[in-house]
mmCIF file of all heavy atoms in Angstrom:
data_model
loop_
_atom_site.group_PDB
_atom_site.id
_atom_site.type_symbol
_atom_site.label_atom_id
_atom_site.label_comp_id
_atom_site.label_asym_id
_atom_site.label_seq_id
_atom_site.Cartn_x
_atom_site.Cartn_y
_atom_site.Cartn_z
ATOM 1 N N ALA A 154 -12.863 3.172 6.358
ATOM 2 C CA ALA A 154 -12.770 3.202 7.786
ATOM 3 C C ALA A 154 -11.341 3.490 8.244
ATOM 4 O O ALA A 154 -11.121 4.052 9.302
ATOM 5 C CB ALA A 154 -13.267 1.932 8.387
ATOM 6 N N LEU A 155 -10.388 3.062 7.423
ATOM 7 C CA LEU A 155 -8.923 3.316 7.832
ATOM 8 C C LEU A 155 -8.679 4.769 7.903
ATOM 9 O O LEU A 155 -8.038 5.280 8.833
ATOM 10 C CB LEU A 155 -8.025 2.664 6.749
ATOM 11 C CG LEU A 155 -8.029 1.115 6.723
ATOM 12 C CD1 LEU A 155 -8.892 0.635 5.616
ATOM 13 C CD2 LEU A 155 -6.598 0.599 6.590
ATOM 14 N N ALA A 156 -9.256 5.563 6.861
ATOM 15 C CA ALA A 156 -9.027 6.982 6.958
ATOM 16 C C ALA A 156 -9.729 7.650 8.145
ATOM 17 O O ALA A 156 -9.180 8.586 8.737
ATOM 18 C CB ALA A 156 -9.535 7.638 5.598
ATOM 19 N N LYS A 157 -10.899 7.109 8.504
ATOM 20 C CA LYS A 157 -11.619 7.633 9.561
ATOM 21 C C LYS A 157 -10.933 7.481 10.912
ATOM 22 O O LYS A 157 -10.831 8.378 11.726
ATOM 23 C CB LYS A 157 -13.051 7.101 9.685
ATOM 24 C CG LYS A 157 -13.987 7.487 8.554
ATOM 25 C CD LYS A 157 -15.377 6.941 8.752
ATOM 26 C CE LYS A 157 -16.315 7.506 7.719
ATOM 27 N NZ LYS A 157 -17.762 7.078 7.913
ATOM 28 N N PHE A 158 -10.418 6.284 11.137
ATOM 29 C CA PHE A 158 -9.692 6.040 12.347
ATOM 30 C C PHE A 158 -8.360 6.673 12.416
ATOM 31 O O PHE A 158 -7.831 7.150 13.466
ATOM 32 C CB PHE A 158 -9.559 4.503 12.552
ATOM 33 C CG PHE A 158 -10.721 3.901 13.232
ATOM 34 C CD1 PHE A 158 -11.767 3.361 12.371
ATOM 35 C CD2 PHE A 158 -10.884 3.773 14.609
ATOM 36 C CE1 PHE A 158 -12.926 2.795 12.973
ATOM 37 C CE2 PHE A 158 -11.997 3.247 15.230
ATOM 38 C CZ PHE A 158 -12.984 2.721 14.330
ATOM 39 N N THR A 159 -7.695 6.882 11.207
ATOM 40 C CA THR A 159 -6.442 7.653 11.170
ATOM 41 C C THR A 159 -6.753 9.082 11.581
ATOM 42 O O THR A 159 -6.006 9.718 12.347
ATOM 43 C CB THR A 159 -5.887 7.615 9.782
ATOM 44 O OG1 THR A 159 -5.515 6.194 9.443
ATOM 45 C CG2 THR A 159 -4.631 8.456 9.697
ATOM 46 N N ALA A 160 -7.843 9.648 11.077
ATOM 47 C CA ALA A 160 -8.211 11.047 11.405
ATOM 48 C C ALA A 160 -8.462 11.148 12.885
ATOM 49 O O ALA A 160 -8.269 12.223 13.447
ATOM 50 C CB ALA A 160 -9.411 11.487 10.580
ATOM 51 N N ASP A 161 -8.965 10.088 13.509
ATOM 52 C CA ASP A 161 -9.264 10.079 14.970
ATOM 53 C C ASP A 161 -8.012 9.868 15.809
ATOM 54 O O ASP A 161 -8.146 9.794 17.036
ATOM 55 C CB ASP A 161 -10.317 9.104 15.303
ATOM 56 C CG ASP A 161 -11.661 9.432 14.766
ATOM 57 O OD1 ASP A 161 -11.904 10.687 14.425
ATOM 58 O OD2 ASP A 161 -12.549 8.555 14.707
ATOM 59 N N GLY A 162 -6.799 9.752 15.198
ATOM 60 C CA GLY A 162 -5.624 9.658 15.975
ATOM 61 C C GLY A 162 -5.024 8.268 16.171
ATOM 62 O O GLY A 162 -4.108 8.036 16.889
ATOM 63 N N ALA A 163 -5.591 7.221 15.444
ATOM 64 C CA ALA A 163 -5.004 5.902 15.582
ATOM 65 C C ALA A 163 -3.563 5.854 15.022
ATOM 66 O O ALA A 163 -3.247 6.602 14.060
ATOM 67 C CB ALA A 163 -5.894 4.896 14.769
ATOM 68 N N GLN A 164 -2.743 5.049 15.593
ATOM 69 C CA GLN A 164 -1.369 4.859 15.072
ATOM 70 C C GLN A 164 -1.452 4.059 13.788
ATOM 71 O O GLN A 164 -2.466 3.339 13.579
ATOM 72 C CB GLN A 164 -0.485 4.215 16.099
ATOM 73 C CG GLN A 164 -0.921 2.859 16.615
ATOM 74 C CD GLN A 164 -0.060 2.244 17.664
ATOM 75 O OE1 GLN A 164 1.166 2.450 17.533
ATOM 76 N NE2 GLN A 164 -0.589 1.575 18.678
ATOM 77 N N GLN A 165 -0.465 4.190 12.927
ATOM 78 C CA GLN A 165 -0.501 3.554 11.594
ATOM 79 C C GLN A 165 0.772 2.656 11.414
ATOM 80 O O GLN A 165 1.869 3.071 11.780
ATOM 81 C CB GLN A 165 -0.597 4.646 10.507
ATOM 82 C CG GLN A 165 -1.645 5.584 10.605
ATOM 83 C CD GLN A 165 -1.604 6.716 9.589
ATOM 84 O OE1 GLN A 165 -1.645 6.480 8.422
ATOM 85 N NE2 GLN A 165 -1.392 7.921 10.078
ATOM 86 N N ARG A 166 0.502 1.535 10.730
ATOM 87 C CA ARG A 166 1.560 0.698 10.297
ATOM 88 C C ARG A 166 1.181 0.126 8.918
ATOM 89 O O ARG A 166 0.090 0.253 8.531
ATOM 90 C CB ARG A 166 1.831 -0.501 11.285
ATOM 91 C CG ARG A 166 2.271 -0.086 12.711
ATOM 92 C CD ARG A 166 3.718 0.493 12.629
ATOM 93 N NE ARG A 166 4.183 0.726 13.994
ATOM 94 C CZ ARG A 166 4.003 1.863 14.621
ATOM 95 N NH1 ARG A 166 3.219 2.815 14.153
ATOM 96 N NH2 ARG A 166 4.515 2.062 15.910
ATOM 97 N N GLN A 167 2.115 -0.478 8.225
ATOM 98 C CA GLN A 167 1.767 -1.013 6.855
ATOM 99 C C GLN A 167 2.472 -2.340 6.597
ATOM 100 O O GLN A 167 3.507 -2.729 7.228
ATOM 101 C CB GLN A 167 2.147 -0.063 5.776
ATOM 102 C CG GLN A 167 3.574 0.095 5.515
ATOM 103 C CD GLN A 167 3.813 0.997 4.275
ATOM 104 O OE1 GLN A 167 3.038 1.766 3.871
ATOM 105 N NE2 GLN A 167 5.055 0.842 3.674
ATOM 106 N N LEU A 168 1.813 -3.118 5.709
ATOM 107 C CA LEU A 168 2.333 -4.384 5.252
ATOM 108 C C LEU A 168 2.567 -4.241 3.680
ATOM 109 O O LEU A 168 1.566 -4.045 2.995
ATOM 110 C CB LEU A 168 1.439 -5.501 5.480
ATOM 111 C CG LEU A 168 1.108 -5.781 6.956
ATOM 112 C CD1 LEU A 168 0.011 -6.922 6.998
ATOM 113 C CD2 LEU A 168 2.261 -6.142 7.746
ATOM 114 N N SER A 169 3.747 -4.258 3.210
ATOM 115 C CA SER A 169 4.002 -3.983 1.776
ATOM 116 C C SER A 169 4.671 -5.156 1.012
ATOM 117 O O SER A 169 4.817 -5.103 -0.155
ATOM 118 C CB SER A 169 4.876 -2.699 1.604
ATOM 119 O OG SER A 169 6.194 -2.911 2.209
ATOM 120 N N GLN A 170 5.011 -6.169 1.751
ATOM 121 C CA GLN A 170 5.644 -7.398 1.103
ATOM 122 C C GLN A 170 4.567 -8.298 0.624
ATOM 123 O O GLN A 170 3.839 -8.947 1.403
ATOM 124 C CB GLN A 170 6.521 -8.131 2.088
ATOM 125 C CG GLN A 170 7.066 -9.453 1.598
ATOM 126 C CD GLN A 170 7.964 -9.297 0.347
ATOM 127 O OE1 GLN A 170 9.032 -8.740 0.483
ATOM 128 N NE2 GLN A 170 7.587 -9.753 -0.768
ATOM 129 N N SER A 171 4.349 -8.380 -0.745
ATOM 130 C CA SER A 171 3.324 -9.230 -1.277
ATOM 131 C C SER A 171 3.869 -10.630 -1.428
ATOM 132 O O SER A 171 5.002 -10.842 -1.838
ATOM 133 C CB SER A 171 2.869 -8.679 -2.609
ATOM 134 O OG SER A 171 1.819 -9.514 -3.156
ATOM 135 N N PHE A 172 3.061 -11.587 -1.100
ATOM 136 C CA PHE A 172 3.392 -13.020 -1.256
ATOM 137 C C PHE A 172 2.637 -13.604 -2.455
ATOM 138 O O PHE A 172 2.739 -14.798 -2.757
ATOM 139 C CB PHE A 172 3.091 -13.756 0.008
ATOM 140 C CG PHE A 172 3.760 -13.287 1.190
ATOM 141 C CD1 PHE A 172 3.162 -12.393 2.076
ATOM 142 C CD2 PHE A 172 5.095 -13.620 1.468
ATOM 143 C CE1 PHE A 172 3.866 -11.883 3.189
ATOM 144 C CE2 PHE A 172 5.807 -13.047 2.563
ATOM 145 C CZ PHE A 172 5.163 -12.287 3.429
ATOM 146 N N ARG A 173 1.804 -12.761 -3.198
ATOM 147 C CA ARG A 173 0.960 -13.319 -4.195
ATOM 148 C C ARG A 173 1.676 -13.338 -5.561
ATOM 149 O O ARG A 173 1.520 -14.224 -6.377
ATOM 150 C CB ARG A 173 -0.274 -12.352 -4.431
ATOM 151 C CG ARG A 173 -1.189 -12.808 -5.521
ATOM 152 C CD ARG A 173 -2.468 -11.952 -5.574
ATOM 153 N NE ARG A 173 -3.146 -11.985 -4.340
ATOM 154 C CZ ARG A 173 -4.052 -11.140 -3.916
ATOM 155 N NH1 ARG A 173 -4.335 -10.074 -4.657
ATOM 156 N NH2 ARG A 173 -4.667 -11.270 -2.789
ATOM 157 N N PHE A 174 2.600 -12.372 -5.813
ATOM 158 C CA PHE A 174 3.208 -12.263 -7.145
ATOM 159 C C PHE A 174 4.641 -11.673 -7.010
ATOM 160 O O PHE A 174 4.979 -11.201 -5.899
ATOM 161 C CB PHE A 174 2.427 -11.279 -8.064
ATOM 162 C CG PHE A 174 1.871 -10.068 -7.404
ATOM 163 C CD1 PHE A 174 2.706 -9.033 -6.998
ATOM 164 C CD2 PHE A 174 0.492 -9.971 -7.178
ATOM 165 C CE1 PHE A 174 2.225 -7.974 -6.354
ATOM 166 C CE2 PHE A 174 -0.060 -8.834 -6.537
ATOM 167 C CZ PHE A 174 0.865 -7.826 -6.164
ATOM 168 N N GLY A 175 5.401 -11.817 -8.121
ATOM 169 C CA GLY A 175 6.755 -11.316 -8.104
ATOM 170 C C GLY A 175 6.991 -9.889 -8.394
ATOM 171 O O GLY A 175 6.015 -9.118 -8.558
ATOM 172 N N PRO A 176 8.225 -9.394 -8.541
ATOM 173 C CA PRO A 176 8.541 -8.018 -8.764
ATOM 174 C C PRO A 176 7.859 -7.379 -10.033
ATOM 175 O O PRO A 176 7.551 -6.184 -9.985
ATOM 176 C CB PRO A 176 10.097 -7.975 -8.932
ATOM 177 C CG PRO A 176 10.514 -9.150 -8.104
ATOM 178 C CD PRO A 176 9.481 -10.232 -8.344
ATOM 179 N N ALA A 177 7.689 -8.123 -11.071
ATOM 180 C CA ALA A 177 7.187 -7.553 -12.322
ATOM 181 C C ALA A 177 5.767 -7.106 -12.138
ATOM 182 O O ALA A 177 5.346 -5.953 -12.562
ATOM 183 C CB ALA A 177 7.265 -8.538 -13.546
ATOM 184 N N ILE A 178 4.876 -7.880 -11.546
ATOM 185 C CA ILE A 178 3.523 -7.530 -11.289
ATOM 186 C C ILE A 178 3.456 -6.479 -10.226
ATOM 187 O O ILE A 178 2.605 -5.507 -10.222
ATOM 188 C CB ILE A 178 2.675 -8.762 -10.961
ATOM 189 C CG1 ILE A 178 2.542 -9.650 -12.187
ATOM 190 C CG2 ILE A 178 1.240 -8.298 -10.539
ATOM 191 C CD1 ILE A 178 1.797 -10.928 -11.993
ATOM 192 N N ALA A 179 4.353 -6.530 -9.228
ATOM 193 C CA ALA A 179 4.385 -5.487 -8.211
ATOM 194 C C ALA A 179 4.647 -4.120 -8.855
ATOM 195 O O ALA A 179 4.084 -3.121 -8.459
ATOM 196 C CB ALA A 179 5.450 -5.859 -7.173
ATOM 197 N N ALA A 180 5.569 -4.116 -9.834
ATOM 198 C CA ALA A 180 5.879 -2.841 -10.527
ATOM 199 C C ALA A 180 4.662 -2.259 -11.240
ATOM 200 O O ALA A 180 4.404 -1.080 -11.214
ATOM 201 C CB ALA A 180 7.066 -3.030 -11.496
ATOM 202 N N ALA A 181 3.864 -3.182 -11.847
ATOM 203 C CA ALA A 181 2.598 -2.692 -12.518
ATOM 204 C C ALA A 181 1.640 -2.148 -11.478
ATOM 205 O O ALA A 181 0.981 -1.189 -11.729
ATOM 206 C CB ALA A 181 1.993 -3.893 -13.281
ATOM 207 N N ALA A 182 1.523 -2.835 -10.375
ATOM 208 C CA ALA A 182 0.665 -2.319 -9.283
ATOM 209 C C ALA A 182 1.150 -0.936 -8.715
ATOM 210 O O ALA A 182 0.360 -0.075 -8.496
ATOM 211 C CB ALA A 182 0.634 -3.318 -8.180
ATOM 212 N N ASN A 183 2.410 -0.791 -8.593
ATOM 213 C CA ASN A 183 3.032 0.432 -8.095
ATOM 214 C C ASN A 183 2.783 1.633 -8.994
ATOM 215 O O ASN A 183 2.663 2.748 -8.486
ATOM 216 C CB ASN A 183 4.473 0.255 -7.782
ATOM 217 C CG ASN A 183 4.742 -0.627 -6.568
ATOM 218 O OD1 ASN A 183 3.874 -0.768 -5.667
ATOM 219 N ND2 ASN A 183 5.940 -1.203 -6.523
ATOM 220 N N ALA A 184 2.683 1.419 -10.256
ATOM 221 C CA ALA A 184 2.341 2.452 -11.174
ATOM 222 C C ALA A 184 0.984 3.008 -10.890
ATOM 223 O O ALA A 184 0.769 4.205 -10.966
ATOM 224 C CB ALA A 184 2.404 1.962 -12.606
ATOM 225 N N TRP A 185 0.046 2.153 -10.472
ATOM 226 C CA TRP A 185 -1.305 2.651 -10.109
ATOM 227 C C TRP A 185 -1.344 3.220 -8.704
ATOM 228 O O TRP A 185 -2.120 4.102 -8.509
ATOM 229 C CB TRP A 185 -2.268 1.458 -10.361
ATOM 230 C CG TRP A 185 -2.626 1.243 -11.746
ATOM 231 C CD1 TRP A 185 -2.173 0.235 -12.544
ATOM 232 C CD2 TRP A 185 -3.373 2.118 -12.597
ATOM 233 N NE1 TRP A 185 -2.630 0.403 -13.835
ATOM 234 C CE2 TRP A 185 -3.286 1.562 -13.907
ATOM 235 C CE3 TRP A 185 -4.071 3.292 -12.373
ATOM 236 C CZ2 TRP A 185 -3.989 2.148 -14.944
ATOM 237 C CZ3 TRP A 185 -4.699 3.902 -13.445
ATOM 238 C CH2 TRP A 185 -4.630 3.311 -14.711
ATOM 239 N N LEU A 186 -0.512 2.665 -7.833
ATOM 240 C CA LEU A 186 -0.511 3.208 -6.518
ATOM 241 C C LEU A 186 0.047 4.639 -6.519
ATOM 242 O O LEU A 186 -0.393 5.535 -5.789
ATOM 243 C CB LEU A 186 0.446 2.329 -5.600
ATOM 244 C CG LEU A 186 -0.153 1.035 -5.223
ATOM 245 C CD1 LEU A 186 0.821 0.219 -4.337
ATOM 246 C CD2 LEU A 186 -1.423 1.256 -4.327
ATOM 247 N N TYR A 187 0.977 4.936 -7.456
ATOM 248 C CA TYR A 187 1.440 6.271 -7.637
ATOM 249 C C TYR A 187 0.290 7.195 -8.066
ATOM 250 O O TYR A 187 0.208 8.312 -7.583
ATOM 251 C CB TYR A 187 2.532 6.354 -8.677
ATOM 252 C CG TYR A 187 2.986 7.714 -9.090
ATOM 253 C CD1 TYR A 187 3.899 8.391 -8.200
ATOM 254 C CD2 TYR A 187 2.544 8.344 -10.235
ATOM 255 C CE1 TYR A 187 4.267 9.732 -8.565
ATOM 256 C CE2 TYR A 187 2.992 9.595 -10.607
ATOM 257 C CZ TYR A 187 3.858 10.323 -9.801
ATOM 258 O OH TYR A 187 4.279 11.549 -10.103
ATOM 259 N N VAL A 188 -0.530 6.683 -9.058
ATOM 260 C CA VAL A 188 -1.719 7.513 -9.482
ATOM 261 C C VAL A 188 -2.692 7.688 -8.415
ATOM 262 O O VAL A 188 -3.268 8.789 -8.232
ATOM 263 C CB VAL A 188 -2.277 6.863 -10.715
ATOM 264 C CG1 VAL A 188 -3.631 7.580 -11.130
ATOM 265 C CG2 VAL A 188 -1.343 6.804 -11.902
ATOM 266 N N VAL A 189 -2.948 6.654 -7.620
ATOM 267 C CA VAL A 189 -3.914 6.762 -6.457
ATOM 268 C C VAL A 189 -3.463 7.822 -5.502
ATOM 269 O O VAL A 189 -4.293 8.537 -4.937
ATOM 270 C CB VAL A 189 -4.029 5.378 -5.822
ATOM 271 C CG1 VAL A 189 -4.810 5.505 -4.531
ATOM 272 C CG2 VAL A 189 -4.793 4.368 -6.746
ATOM 273 N N GLY A 190 -2.184 7.925 -5.351
ATOM 274 C CA GLY A 190 -1.680 8.986 -4.454
ATOM 275 C C GLY A 190 -1.358 8.509 -3.065
ATOM 276 O O GLY A 190 -1.226 9.303 -2.154
ATOM 277 N N THR A 191 -1.118 7.252 -2.925
ATOM 278 C CA THR A 191 -0.649 6.634 -1.618
ATOM 279 C C THR A 191 0.838 6.545 -1.465
ATOM 280 O O THR A 191 1.499 6.383 -2.541
ATOM 281 C CB THR A 191 -1.360 5.267 -1.414
ATOM 282 O OG1 THR A 191 -0.956 4.676 -0.216
ATOM 283 C CG2 THR A 191 -0.995 4.309 -2.561
ATOM 284 N N ASP A 192 1.303 6.509 -0.292
ATOM 285 C CA ASP A 192 2.776 6.264 -0.098
ATOM 286 C C ASP A 192 3.125 4.803 -0.196
ATOM 287 O O ASP A 192 4.303 4.446 -0.236
ATOM 288 C CB ASP A 192 3.143 6.839 1.266
ATOM 289 C CG ASP A 192 3.072 8.350 1.332
ATOM 290 O OD1 ASP A 192 3.149 8.954 0.280
ATOM 291 O OD2 ASP A 192 2.798 8.863 2.470
ATOM 292 N N MET A 193 2.133 3.884 -0.167
ATOM 293 C CA MET A 193 2.388 2.462 -0.218
ATOM 294 C C MET A 193 3.065 2.089 -1.555
ATOM 295 O O MET A 193 2.632 2.568 -2.615
ATOM 296 C CB MET A 193 1.162 1.697 -0.042
ATOM 297 C CG MET A 193 1.211 0.209 -0.284
ATOM 298 S SD MET A 193 1.792 -0.753 1.121
ATOM 299 C CE MET A 193 0.372 -0.764 2.127
ATOM 300 N N ARG A 194 4.082 1.321 -1.509
ATOM 301 C CA ARG A 194 4.748 0.624 -2.670
ATOM 302 C C ARG A 194 4.923 -0.797 -2.296
ATOM 303 O O ARG A 194 5.522 -1.132 -1.391
ATOM 304 C CB ARG A 194 6.079 1.287 -3.039
ATOM 305 C CG ARG A 194 5.896 2.716 -3.495
ATOM 306 C CD ARG A 194 5.136 2.871 -4.762
ATOM 307 N NE ARG A 194 5.078 4.316 -5.173
ATOM 308 C CZ ARG A 194 4.122 5.172 -4.836
ATOM 309 N NH1 ARG A 194 3.145 4.704 -4.058
ATOM 310 N NH2 ARG A 194 4.093 6.391 -5.279
ATOM 311 N N LEU A 195 4.422 -1.726 -3.242
ATOM 312 C CA LEU A 195 4.494 -3.158 -2.999
ATOM 313 C C LEU A 195 5.894 -3.637 -3.357
ATOM 314 O O LEU A 195 6.499 -3.258 -4.265
ATOM 315 C CB LEU A 195 3.481 -3.919 -3.822
ATOM 316 C CG LEU A 195 1.982 -3.536 -3.548
ATOM 317 C CD1 LEU A 195 1.060 -4.383 -4.388
ATOM 318 C CD2 LEU A 195 1.715 -3.703 -2.063
ATOM 319 N N LYS A 196 6.321 -4.671 -2.573
ATOM 320 C CA LYS A 196 7.568 -5.437 -2.877
ATOM 321 C C LYS A 196 7.106 -6.763 -3.347
ATOM 322 O O LYS A 196 6.392 -7.509 -2.634
ATOM 323 C CB LYS A 196 8.418 -5.505 -1.663
ATOM 324 C CG LYS A 196 8.976 -4.150 -1.235
ATOM 325 C CD LYS A 196 10.020 -4.328 -0.079
ATOM 326 C CE LYS A 196 9.294 -4.686 1.251
ATOM 327 N NZ LYS A 196 8.636 -3.527 1.895
ATOM 328 N N GLY A 197 7.506 -7.206 -4.584
ATOM 329 C CA GLY A 197 7.162 -8.519 -5.087
ATOM 330 C C GLY A 197 7.945 -9.526 -4.465
ATOM 331 O O GLY A 197 9.055 -9.341 -3.912
#
């Protein structure tokens, strides 16, 4: 639904500061975010 509303002209913001884990796991997650093709990168 996020993609649908974005296509309809909704404004966009993001939350990238994770409170669940530290930088090491964030780096592992970011490797997959790169493959997924999103601009999001998590901060541990």
Side-chain angles (χ1 to χ4, degrees):
L155 294 96
K157 290 187 176 184
F158 277 90
T159 297
D161 288 343
Q164 57 182 324
Q165 302 174 66
R166 295 293 185 274
Q167 73 173 22
L168 303 175
S169 61
Q170 173 62 68
S171 182
F172 301 98
R173 179 178 299 162
F174 42 70
I178 294 177
N183 287 337
W185 285 104
L186 288 174
Y187 174 79
V188 174
V189 169
T191 178
D192 293 333
M193 170 83 75
R194 296 294 181 269
L195 299 183
K196 296 187 286 284

